[in-house]
Amino acid sequence: MNESHLWAAEPHAAYLQWQTTEAAGADRRRFSQRSIVQHKAMFDRFLRHLVTRGVALATFGPEHLDSFFDDVENRCAPGTTTRLRYVKLIDRLCRHLVDVGLRHTNPAATFALSAAWPEDEPEPLFLDTDADTALQCYVQPDAGDDTRLCRNRAVVALLLGAGLTAAELRAARWRDTVIDGIRPEVRVPKRGARLERTVALPPFSTPPLERWQQAHPGPDAALLFPAPRTDDKPINDVLLGAIVREALDAIGFAAPDMSPRVLRNTFARRQLLSGRSNEQTSALLGLASQRTVTRIRATIITPLT
């Protein structure tokens, strides 16, 4: 089977083979394993969109890219470069498909011409020390809390206390969370490019998790935060985002991004303020690169001596 036929018959396998043997970025350097994992997930999402539209890699046109990019933007927080990264990826893909003879034209070329990386990356959003303390107080359980509020306080407490991503929190199970031992901690399994890690839980996060466990008991293998009215499906991103926004509203925090990312950045900044190095903090976040933490450290003003 030649390469063109492989792309038509087994696009997932063809993409992975291309990424691991030939593909390179604008600087001609081969992609890292972490980038390959991310690119493969992006390609899979794009391919699913084409399938729902009844077209294939050889037949999709600009109108299908329009609908795909609109869907990407609708699902992303404002100010992110997600759409741009998809444009670059699909343009690179289409140029390769032309090279191997599967396509005659590149429908992504027009999109790529108008796409450019921002000159300056947006400054990461986080809670300052006072707002961080206020949110830690907000998540503490109250005698009048109903089940919904118990869950919401526990969700925010875990995000703020352990620096989990939204996807990691949605996948968390009770067996991964130890709150009654000498050293409360949460174990975060490897997920995609994110490294496996164990994060110690700070004292403020354990009371809301204990109250949630009492309000919604389950076996060790059960999801920590299942979707409402079910125990086998995780809470979805829309509800998770609403929970975080409600908590941030409660302490008077307002910003363009009110997502779980703000709490993850706050966790990272708290580690840096406590004296941890970029390498140590990146490890707590499950990151192989220190780029994110370096940007967060830049927000810390060092007093003049």
Side-chain angles (χ1 to χ4, degrees), residues 1-21:
M1 182 182 295
N2 64 35
E3 189 172 354
S4 177
H5 289 160
L6 180 63
W7 276 101
E10 300 180 46
H12 294 285
Y15 187 83
L16 184 58
Q17 177 177 299
W18 174 51
Q19 286 284 291
T20 54
T21 60

PDB file of all heavy atoms in Angstrom, residues 1-21:
ATOM      1  N   MET A   1       0.847  -1.198   0.000  1.00  0.00           N
ATOM      2  CA  MET A   1       0.000   0.000   0.000  1.00  0.00           C
ATOM      3  C   MET A   1       0.882   1.248   0.000  1.00  0.00           C
ATOM      4  O   MET A   1       1.721   1.421   0.884  1.00  0.00           O
ATOM      5  CB  MET A   1      -0.908   0.007   1.247  1.00  0.00           C
ATOM      6  CG  MET A   1      -1.861   1.191   1.303  1.00  0.00           C
ATOM      7  SD  MET A   1      -2.879   1.201   2.824  1.00  0.00           S
ATOM      8  CE  MET A   1      -3.860  -0.283   2.607  1.00  0.00           C
ATOM      9  N   ASN A   2       0.732   2.125  -1.051  1.00  0.00           N
ATOM     10  CA  ASN A   2       1.544   3.334  -1.067  1.00  0.00           C
ATOM     11  C   ASN A   2       1.000   4.355  -0.074  1.00  0.00           C
ATOM     12  O   ASN A   2      -0.061   4.185   0.520  1.00  0.00           O
ATOM     13  CB  ASN A   2       1.646   3.919  -2.480  1.00  0.00           C
ATOM     14  CG  ASN A   2       0.292   4.375  -3.016  1.00  0.00           C
ATOM     15  OD1 ASN A   2      -0.559   4.858  -2.263  1.00  0.00           O
ATOM     16  ND2 ASN A   2       0.105   4.258  -4.326  1.00  0.00           N
ATOM     17  N   GLU A   3       1.745   5.473   0.109  1.00  0.00           N
ATOM     18  CA  GLU A   3       1.390   6.414   1.165  1.00  0.00           C
ATOM     19  C   GLU A   3       0.039   7.072   0.930  1.00  0.00           C
ATOM     20  O   GLU A   3      -0.742   7.271   1.861  1.00  0.00           O
ATOM     21  CB  GLU A   3       2.474   7.485   1.293  1.00  0.00           C
ATOM     22  CG  GLU A   3       2.282   8.370   2.516  1.00  0.00           C
ATOM     23  CD  GLU A   3       3.452   9.301   2.752  1.00  0.00           C
ATOM     24  OE1 GLU A   3       4.461   9.193   2.032  1.00  0.00           O
ATOM     25  OE2 GLU A   3       3.343  10.151   3.676  1.00  0.00           O
ATOM     26  N   SER A   4      -0.266   7.400  -0.322  1.00  0.00           N
ATOM     27  CA  SER A   4      -1.547   8.020  -0.630  1.00  0.00           C
ATOM     28  C   SER A   4      -2.704   7.103  -0.266  1.00  0.00           C
ATOM     29  O   SER A   4      -3.704   7.534   0.326  1.00  0.00           O
ATOM     30  CB  SER A   4      -1.610   8.380  -2.124  1.00  0.00           C
ATOM     31  OG  SER A   4      -2.883   8.913  -2.450  1.00  0.00           O
ATOM     32  N   HIS A   5      -2.582   5.835  -0.584  1.00  0.00           N
ATOM     33  CA  HIS A   5      -3.636   4.869  -0.260  1.00  0.00           C
ATOM     34  C   HIS A   5      -3.748   4.672   1.249  1.00  0.00           C
ATOM     35  O   HIS A   5      -4.854   4.479   1.767  1.00  0.00           O
ATOM     36  CB  HIS A   5      -3.347   3.526  -0.951  1.00  0.00           C
ATOM     37  CG  HIS A   5      -3.544   3.566  -2.427  1.00  0.00           C
ATOM     38  ND1 HIS A   5      -2.975   2.654  -3.292  1.00  0.00           N
ATOM     39  CD2 HIS A   5      -4.251   4.423  -3.208  1.00  0.00           C
ATOM     40  CE1 HIS A   5      -3.319   2.931  -4.526  1.00  0.00           C
ATOM     41  NE2 HIS A   5      -4.091   4.003  -4.506  1.00  0.00           N
ATOM     42  N   LEU A   6      -2.622   4.707   1.953  1.00  0.00           N
ATOM     43  CA  LEU A   6      -2.656   4.562   3.404  1.00  0.00           C
ATOM     44  C   LEU A   6      -3.429   5.718   4.040  1.00  0.00           C
ATOM     45  O   LEU A   6      -4.231   5.511   4.955  1.00  0.00           O
ATOM     46  CB  LEU A   6      -1.229   4.509   3.970  1.00  0.00           C
ATOM     47  CG  LEU A   6      -1.130   4.348   5.500  1.00  0.00           C
ATOM     48  CD1 LEU A   6      -1.737   3.024   5.944  1.00  0.00           C
ATOM     49  CD2 LEU A   6       0.324   4.452   5.960  1.00  0.00           C
ATOM     50  N   TRP A   7      -3.205   6.947   3.550  1.00  0.00           N
ATOM     51  CA  TRP A   7      -3.932   8.098   4.085  1.00  0.00           C
ATOM     52  C   TRP A   7      -5.432   7.956   3.847  1.00  0.00           C
ATOM     53  O   TRP A   7      -6.247   8.335   4.693  1.00  0.00           O
ATOM     54  CB  TRP A   7      -3.432   9.383   3.426  1.00  0.00           C
ATOM     55  CG  TRP A   7      -2.204   9.948   4.059  1.00  0.00           C
ATOM     56  CD1 TRP A   7      -0.920   9.833   3.607  1.00  0.00           C
ATOM     57  CD2 TRP A   7      -2.133  10.705   5.266  1.00  0.00           C
ATOM     58  NE1 TRP A   7      -0.045  10.467   4.459  1.00  0.00           N
ATOM     59  CE2 TRP A   7      -0.767  11.021   5.488  1.00  0.00           C
ATOM     60  CE3 TRP A   7      -3.073  11.149   6.184  1.00  0.00           C
ATOM     61  CZ2 TRP A   7      -0.331  11.758   6.580  1.00  0.00           C
ATOM     62  CZ3 TRP A   7      -2.647  11.893   7.279  1.00  0.00           C
ATOM     63  CH2 TRP A   7      -1.303  12.190   7.476  1.00  0.00           C
ATOM     64  N   ALA A   8      -5.810   7.392   2.711  1.00  0.00           N
ATOM     65  CA  ALA A   8      -7.234   7.227   2.393  1.00  0.00           C
ATOM     66  C   ALA A   8      -7.866   6.093   3.186  1.00  0.00           C
ATOM     67  O   ALA A   8      -9.004   6.199   3.649  1.00  0.00           O
ATOM     68  CB  ALA A   8      -7.403   6.977   0.892  1.00  0.00           C
ATOM     69  N   ALA A   9      -7.115   5.002   3.392  1.00  0.00           N
ATOM     70  CA  ALA A   9      -7.687   3.818   4.038  1.00  0.00           C
ATOM     71  C   ALA A   9      -7.537   3.847   5.550  1.00  0.00           C
ATOM     72  O   ALA A   9      -8.459   3.448   6.284  1.00  0.00           O
ATOM     73  CB  ALA A   9      -7.020   2.552   3.474  1.00  0.00           C
ATOM     74  N   GLU A  10      -6.397   4.296   6.045  1.00  0.00           N
ATOM     75  CA  GLU A  10      -6.127   4.296   7.482  1.00  0.00           C
ATOM     76  C   GLU A  10      -5.496   5.633   7.896  1.00  0.00           C
ATOM     77  O   GLU A  10      -4.304   5.712   8.195  1.00  0.00           O
ATOM     78  CB  GLU A  10      -5.186   3.136   7.851  1.00  0.00           C
ATOM     79  CG  GLU A  10      -5.738   1.759   7.513  1.00  0.00           C
ATOM     80  CD  GLU A  10      -4.765   0.661   7.893  1.00  0.00           C
ATOM     81  OE1 GLU A  10      -4.223   0.726   9.013  1.00  0.00           O
ATOM     82  OE2 GLU A  10      -4.531  -0.248   7.071  1.00  0.00           O
ATOM     83  N   PRO A  11      -6.300   6.691   7.904  1.00  0.00           N
ATOM     84  CA  PRO A  11      -5.733   8.024   8.169  1.00  0.00           C
ATOM     85  C   PRO A  11      -5.067   8.165   9.537  1.00  0.00           C
ATOM     86  O   PRO A  11      -4.055   8.860   9.661  1.00  0.00           O
ATOM     87  CB  PRO A  11      -6.950   8.957   8.037  1.00  0.00           C
ATOM     88  CG  PRO A  11      -8.146   8.069   8.205  1.00  0.00           C
ATOM     89  CD  PRO A  11      -7.750   6.743   7.638  1.00  0.00           C
ATOM     90  N   HIS A  12      -5.603   7.496  10.562  1.00  0.00           N
ATOM     91  CA  HIS A  12      -4.997   7.593  11.890  1.00  0.00           C
ATOM     92  C   HIS A  12      -3.585   7.008  11.883  1.00  0.00           C
ATOM     93  O   HIS A  12      -2.645   7.611  12.421  1.00  0.00           O
ATOM     94  CB  HIS A  12      -5.854   6.862  12.929  1.00  0.00           C
ATOM     95  CG  HIS A  12      -7.192   7.486  13.158  1.00  0.00           C
ATOM     96  ND1 HIS A  12      -7.361   8.639  13.884  1.00  0.00           N
ATOM     97  CD2 HIS A  12      -8.432   7.119  12.735  1.00  0.00           C
ATOM     98  CE1 HIS A  12      -8.648   8.958  13.915  1.00  0.00           C
ATOM     99  NE2 HIS A  12      -9.309   8.054  13.223  1.00  0.00           N
ATOM    100  N   ALA A  13      -3.443   5.841  11.269  1.00  0.00           N
ATOM    101  CA  ALA A  13      -2.132   5.198  11.192  1.00  0.00           C
ATOM    102  C   ALA A  13      -1.184   6.007  10.316  1.00  0.00           C
ATOM    103  O   ALA A  13       0.009   6.152  10.628  1.00  0.00           O
ATOM    104  CB  ALA A  13      -2.280   3.780  10.645  1.00  0.00           C
ATOM    105  N   ALA A  14      -1.703   6.552   9.217  1.00  0.00           N
ATOM    106  CA  ALA A  14      -0.867   7.336   8.308  1.00  0.00           C
ATOM    107  C   ALA A  14      -0.345   8.591   8.989  1.00  0.00           C
ATOM    108  O   ALA A  14       0.824   8.968   8.826  1.00  0.00           O
ATOM    109  CB  ALA A  14      -1.668   7.704   7.063  1.00  0.00           C
ATOM    110  N   TYR A  15      -1.208   9.234   9.779  1.00  0.00           N
ATOM    111  CA  TYR A  15      -0.791  10.462  10.451  1.00  0.00           C
ATOM    112  C   TYR A  15       0.310  10.169  11.473  1.00  0.00           C
ATOM    113  O   TYR A  15       1.311  10.891  11.547  1.00  0.00           O
ATOM    114  CB  TYR A  15      -1.979  11.131  11.139  1.00  0.00           C
ATOM    115  CG  TYR A  15      -1.641  12.490  11.717  1.00  0.00           C
ATOM    116  CD1 TYR A  15      -1.657  13.619  10.914  1.00  0.00           C
ATOM    117  CD2 TYR A  15      -1.266  12.634  13.045  1.00  0.00           C
ATOM    118  CE1 TYR A  15      -1.314  14.864  11.420  1.00  0.00           C
ATOM    119  CE2 TYR A  15      -0.917  13.869  13.559  1.00  0.00           C
ATOM    120  CZ  TYR A  15      -0.950  14.986  12.742  1.00  0.00           C
ATOM    121  OH  TYR A  15      -0.598  16.216  13.250  1.00  0.00           O
ATOM    122  N   LEU A  16       0.121   9.125  12.257  1.00  0.00           N
ATOM    123  CA  LEU A  16       1.116   8.775  13.266  1.00  0.00           C
ATOM    124  C   LEU A  16       2.448   8.420  12.613  1.00  0.00           C
ATOM    125  O   LEU A  16       3.516   8.825  13.092  1.00  0.00           O
ATOM    126  CB  LEU A  16       0.610   7.616  14.118  1.00  0.00           C
ATOM    127  CG  LEU A  16       1.508   7.208  15.289  1.00  0.00           C
ATOM    128  CD1 LEU A  16       1.740   8.388  16.232  1.00  0.00           C
ATOM    129  CD2 LEU A  16       0.889   6.038  16.049  1.00  0.00           C
ATOM    130  N   GLN A  17       2.389   7.681  11.499  1.00  0.00           N
ATOM    131  CA  GLN A  17       3.623   7.306  10.801  1.00  0.00           C
ATOM    132  C   GLN A  17       4.339   8.551  10.287  1.00  0.00           C
ATOM    133  O   GLN A  17       5.570   8.675  10.406  1.00  0.00           O
ATOM    134  CB  GLN A  17       3.286   6.382   9.626  1.00  0.00           C
ATOM    135  CG  GLN A  17       4.505   5.992   8.790  1.00  0.00           C
ATOM    136  CD  GLN A  17       4.134   5.023   7.679  1.00  0.00           C
ATOM    137  OE1 GLN A  17       3.650   3.928   7.933  1.00  0.00           O
ATOM    138  NE2 GLN A  17       4.334   5.440   6.434  1.00  0.00           N
ATOM    139  N   TRP A  18       3.574   9.491   9.725  1.00  0.00           N
ATOM    140  CA  TRP A  18       4.158  10.729   9.211  1.00  0.00           C
ATOM    141  C   TRP A  18       4.801  11.550  10.330  1.00  0.00           C
ATOM    142  O   TRP A  18       5.914  12.041  10.201  1.00  0.00           O
ATOM    143  CB  TRP A  18       3.072  11.524   8.495  1.00  0.00           C
ATOM    144  CG  TRP A  18       3.493  12.886   8.023  1.00  0.00           C
ATOM    145  CD1 TRP A  18       4.596  13.194   7.279  1.00  0.00           C
ATOM    146  CD2 TRP A  18       2.816  14.118   8.274  1.00  0.00           C
ATOM    147  NE1 TRP A  18       4.646  14.559   7.045  1.00  0.00           N
ATOM    148  CE2 TRP A  18       3.557  15.146   7.633  1.00  0.00           C
ATOM    149  CE3 TRP A  18       1.645  14.448   8.951  1.00  0.00           C
ATOM    150  CZ2 TRP A  18       3.171  16.481   7.677  1.00  0.00           C
ATOM    151  CZ3 TRP A  18       1.251  15.775   8.989  1.00  0.00           C
ATOM    152  CH2 TRP A  18       2.012  16.778   8.357  1.00  0.00           C
ATOM    153  N   GLN A  19       4.095  11.658  11.459  1.00  0.00           N
ATOM    154  CA  GLN A  19       4.599  12.452  12.580  1.00  0.00           C
ATOM    155  C   GLN A  19       5.897  11.883  13.147  1.00  0.00           C
ATOM    156  O   GLN A  19       6.783  12.623  13.568  1.00  0.00           O
ATOM    157  CB  GLN A  19       3.551  12.519  13.690  1.00  0.00           C
ATOM    158  CG  GLN A  19       2.377  13.434  13.398  1.00  0.00           C
ATOM    159  CD  GLN A  19       2.751  14.901  13.550  1.00  0.00           C
ATOM    160  OE1 GLN A  19       2.994  15.385  14.641  1.00  0.00           O
ATOM    161  NE2 GLN A  19       2.791  15.612  12.441  1.00  0.00           N
ATOM    162  N   THR A  20       5.998  10.581  13.188  1.00  0.00           N
ATOM    163  CA  THR A  20       7.160   9.947  13.828  1.00  0.00           C
ATOM    164  C   THR A  20       8.328   9.728  12.883  1.00  0.00           C
ATOM    165  O   THR A  20       9.444   9.456  13.335  1.00  0.00           O
ATOM    166  CB  THR A  20       6.756   8.591  14.441  1.00  0.00           C
ATOM    167  OG1 THR A  20       6.134   7.780  13.434  1.00  0.00           O
ATOM    168  CG2 THR A  20       5.775   8.790  15.582  1.00  0.00           C
ATOM    169  N   THR A  21       8.109   9.863  11.564  1.00  0.00           N
ATOM    170  CA  THR A  21       9.197   9.576  10.628  1.00  0.00           C
ATOM    171  C   THR A  21       9.615  10.756   9.757  1.00  0.00           C
ATOM    172  O   THR A  21      10.772  10.837   9.344  1.00  0.00           O
ATOM    173  CB  THR A  21       8.811   8.412   9.683  1.00  0.00           C
ATOM    174  OG1 THR A  21       7.632   8.783   8.937  1.00  0.00           O
ATOM    175  CG2 THR A  21       8.540   7.143  10.479  1.00  0.00           C
TER     176      THR A  21
END
